[in-house]
Amino acid sequence: MELVVDQLSVARAGVPVLRGVAFRLAPGRALLLRGPNGVGKTTLLRVLAGLQPPLAGRVSLDPDNFAYAAHADGIKSTLSVAENLNFWADLHGTRGSTGIEVALAAFHLSDLAERAAGALSAGQKRRLGLARLLVTGRPIWILDEPTVSLDRDAVTWFADVVRAHLANGGSAIIASHIELGLDAEVIELEPFRASWSSATNDTDFDEAFL
Amino acid sequence: MRALLLRDLRLAMRAGGGFGLGLAFFLIVVVLVPFGVGPQTELLARIAPGILWIGALLACLLSLDRILALDWEDGSLDLIATAPVPLEAVVSVKALAHWLTTGLPLVLAAPVLGLLLNLPAPGYGWLTLSLLLGTPALSVIGTFGAALTVGLKRGGLLLSLLVLPLYVPVLIFGAEVARRGAEAMALTTPLAMLAGITCGTIALLPFASAAVLRMNLR
C-alpha cells in the first residue's frame, strides 16, 4: 500500500511548525527527512504515528500501519532484554509468528537476552529499542534519529535490517543526519517551515489544554 | 492486554517497583495511632473503622503517580499508545495492576491491623468487604488523576489535590459501612452507595482517562 501524505500541516505546542508537506512512499522504498534542528521532523513523525492530530491535510494510511521508534526507547531497566521484547511482541500480537529470536539476532543481542536491560550500555539499549520494530510486524517504520549512540558496526547492522525490511515490501521514513548508505529519496523540510506570522489564532477548545 | 498486566505486575515485584510501599505506609499509620490516642480501648474501637479507611486511602494515594509517570519518562507510554490496543483498555489494565499491587494487599492487611485498634468483632467482615468494594474505585480514580498530570514534572502534589475531593465520597460511604458493621447496625444504604460509586467509576472513568491521556501525549 502506497503512503500518500497531502498538504499536511503540523503544530508543536500549538505553534504551526510545518505547512503543506506532501510526499508519496511506495512499498519497498525509504524516505529520508532532512532539516535543521527544530524544523519539525519529530512533530511530523508523531503525527504520522497517530500520537497527535495534524492541523490540516491528509495521511492516506491508518496509524496502525506505522511502527514508531522515538528518541526514548521505552525500555524497562528491571526487566531482561528478552522480557522487554516479549512484552512488545505480546502487545502487538506477534509473539507466535515471528518470535523475538530473529529480532535479537538481527541486532546481535542474543548473548544479552537474559541480561537486565538496565545493565546495557547506551548503544545496546538503542539496539534493543530498534529490535522492537521487528516484533511489531508493521509495514512502515517511522524512525526518529535511529542511529544516536550506535557505533559504526551497529549502524551497519541497522542499515542491513532496514534494507531487509524494504526488500520484504516494507518501507521506512527516517529522520537522520548521518549517511546510512540506503537507496532512499530525500525530502528537505526547510521549504515547508511555517512562518511565525502565519500562526492561526484558532480559538479551538482543545487549545486550552496545550 | 494480558501482556501489559503481567508486565506491570512484574515491574511492581522487581526491586524498586514500590510493591510494599503502600502496605508499609498503612502499617505505620495504623500502628502509630494507638500511641498517639492513648490506651483508651473504647475510644480506639470507636475510631478504628475511620482510621483504617483513612490509612488505606492515603496508602493508595502514595503510589498513584507511579501508575503512568514511569512509563511516560522512559517513552513506553508513547509506544504503548501506538500499539494495536485501545487506550481505554490500557488505562483500565493500569488501574487493575495498581489495585492488585496496592489495593488488594491493603484489603488483606486491614483485618490484622484492626486487631491493633481494638475493632469490635462484628466489624471485621464488613471492614474487609467495604475495602474490597471501595479500593478498586480508588485505583480507577487515581489512574484518572495520573492521566491528567502525566506530563508534569513533580506532578505528585497536583495529583493528590485533584484526586482527594474525588476520593471523599468513597471514604464517606466506605467508612460508614465499616462503622455500622462494627456497631452491628443496618448498613444496606451505604453499602449500596459504595458499590454504586465503584461500578460507576469503573464503567465511566477509563473513557475520561483515555481522553486526557491522548491530549497529554500530543
Side-chain angles (χ1 to χ4, degrees):
Chain A
M1 269 188 300
E2 191 185 34
L3 168 69
V4 183
V5 170
D6 195 23
Q7 293 301 315
L8 193 71
S9 298
V10 301
R12 179 172 171 77
V15 179
V17 288
L18 290 171
R19 207 172 273 283
V21 178
F23 59 83
R24 287 166 172 272
L25 184 65
R29 302 292 299 166
L31 182 74
L32 289 180
L33 299 182
R34 288 278 156 80
N37 293 143
V39 76
K41 297 188 290 291
T42 298
T43 311
L44 177 61
L45 295 182
R46 287 178 66 88
V47 169
L48 291 177
L51 285 169
Q52 61 182 73
L55 273 184
R58 197 178 63 93
V59 180
S60 68
L61 293 178
D62 203 59
D64 277 355
N65 291 292
F66 299 99
Y68 177 51
H71 289 284
D73 291 314
I75 291 169
K76 290 292 173 195
S77 54
T78 48
L79 299 183
S80 75
V81 170
E83 282 171 333
N84 268 297
L85 269 188
N86 274 328
F87 164 65
W88 293 113
D90 285 338
L91 201 61
H92 287 268
T94 56
R95 176 95 172 249
S97 57
T98 43
I100 62 161
E101 283 73 24
V102 183
L104 286 173
F107 284 97
H108 298 245
L109 288 166
S110 303
D111 294 342
L112 302 169
E114 297 310 317
R115 182 91 64 93
L120 298 182
S121 77
Q124 287 168 334
K125 278 184 188 155
R126 188 77 233 194
R127 272 150 60 193
L128 175 55
L130 292 171
R132 189 185 63 84
L133 292 167
L134 286 168
V135 303
T136 59
R138 291 188 165 176
I140 304 177
W141 289 357
I142 299 180
L143 308 167
D144 197 354
E145 304 284 358
T147 54
V148 170
S149 65
L150 291 184
D151 62 18
R152 203 171 342 138
D153 283 345
V155 170
T156 327
W157 300 332
F158 167 64
D160 289 342
V161 170
V162 174
R163 236 174 258 123
H165 178 63
L166 298 181
N168 283 331
S171 47
I173 302 171
I174 307 169
S176 178
H177 292 285
I178 74 159
E179 200 48 63
L180 289 168
L182 291 170
D183 172 29
E185 290 141 65
V186 176
I187 180 168
E188 189 64 54
L189 288 179
E190 184 67 37
F192 298 108
R193 194 196 280 264
S195 58
W196 282 77
S197 56
S198 70
T200 50
N201 286 321
D202 272 339
T203 45
D204 197 8
F205 175 72
D206 283 354
E207 300 295 308
F209 293 96
L210 291 172
Chain B
M1 285 296 66
R2 229 186 72 225
L4 186 61
L5 180 65
L6 288 178
R7 182 192 79 142
D8 274 15
L9 293 181
R10 199 175 281 155
L11 283 172
M13 300 295 176
R14 297 270 160 98
F19 172 61
L21 187 71
L23 200 56
F25 179 82
F26 189 39
L27 185 78
I28 291 169
V29 169
V30 175
V31 168
L32 287 185
V33 164
F35 292 120
V37 172
Q40 307 165 44
T41 44
E42 317 83 64
L43 178 63
L44 272 179
R46 210 160 70 234
I47 61 173
I51 295 291
L52 286 164
W53 251 94
I54 292 173
L57 187 143
L58 292 178
C60 201
L61 199 62
L62 201 61
S63 51
L64 285 185
D65 60 338
R66 304 181 64 93
I67 298 179
L68 293 168
L70 295 179
D71 279 344
W72 160 268
E73 278 162 18
D74 63 20
S76 18
L77 201 56
D78 276 347
L79 302 179
I80 290 173
T82 62
V85 283
L87 219 44
E88 286 79 6
V90 170
V91 290
S92 303
V93 167
K94 287 264 169 200
L96 176 62
H98 178 260
W99 183 72
L100 287 175
T101 53
T102 309
L104 191 58
L106 294 178
V107 174
L108 299 178
V112 184
L113 295 177
L115 279 174
L116 293 177
L117 296 176
N118 195 29
L119 186 73
Y124 287 93
W126 292 113
L127 172 76
T128 313
L129 181 68
S130 69
L131 282 170
L132 196 62
L133 268 177
T135 44
L138 299 183
S139 290
V140 174
I141 295 172
T143 308
F144 173 60
L148 270 174
T149 56
V150 74
L152 303 174
K153 293 264 180 295
R154 302 275 169 272
L157 177 65
L158 183 60
L159 171 59
S160 315
L161 290 175
L162 284 171
V163 157
L164 267 181
L166 300 175
Y167 272 6
V168 168
V170 185
L171 175 65
I172 290 174
F173 292 112
E176 186 68 5
V177 170
R179 187 183 68 81
R180 292 191 177 204
E183 292 170 9
M185 290 157 64
L187 41 66
T188 325
T189 314
L191 192 65
M193 287 299 288
L194 182 65
I197 290 172
T198 301
C199 292
T201 52
I202 291 176
L204 297 176
L205 267 185
F207 294 98
S209 308
V212 293
L213 196 54
R214 250 180 227 116
M215 223 161 262
N216 273 334
L217 283 179
R218 278 182 191 176

